[in-house]
Amino acid sequence: MRRIPLLLERFGIEAIECQALTLGLTPGEFVAQAALYHVGSPPRAKAASFMGEPPVESPRALTVALDPDSWATLEAEAFDLGVTVAQLLARASVALAADIDSGRVADQIV
């Protein structure tokens, strides 16, 4: 378990909270599911520029529980992209929320 800042602006945080509420998860559980979804997804374009800079306001911190192998995979990918794990998790969370919203992924997998 790690405490991770959710490096998103208000709109992104609200999207994560809304999807989490809809699925009966806490935001931290949603981010953990997003991390697993990201790790298990086929590779797609993962431009570091998409992750942007941390928000100006103090970010909200969440407790995210993942197994050691998932953390290691995320840390390696973040290192390769030149970003932080928190930035990668923010991107993964927004991507999962968008995929659920668009119907690209069934919310039953979460």
Side-chain angles (χ1 to χ4, degrees):
M1 233 185 264
R2 296 186 190 179
R3 194 103 170 119
I4 300 290
L6 188 55
L7 301 177
L8 296 169
E9 297 291 346
R10 181 174 308 282
F11 176 79
I13 291 172
E14 288 173 0
I16 300 311
E17 289 174 340
C18 179
Q19 286 292 351
L21 181 64
T22 300
L23 296 169
L25 302 172
T26 66
E29 291 168 334
F30 183 86
V31 172
Q33 291 299 317
L36 296 174
Y37 176 70
H38 177 81
V39 167
S41 293
R44 45 175 143 168
K46 297 175 182 167
S49 62
F50 177 90
M51 293 172 218
E53 294 298 318
V56 176
E57 312 175 356
S58 297
R60 177 173 177 194
L62 301 173
T63 300
V64 179
L66 293 170
D67 62 274
D69 290 340
S70 295
W71 283 120
T73 300
L74 291 168
E75 288 167 350
E77 183 178 344
F79 179 81
D80 290 345
L81 292 171
V83 298
T84 66
V85 171
Q87 286 173 301
L88 189 58
L89 286 177
R91 181 184 197 278
S93 298
V94 170
L96 178 58
D99 284 358
I100 290 171
D101 191 54
S102 71
R104 282 189 295 270
V105 64
D107 59 6
Q108 290 83 5
I109 70 158
V110 177

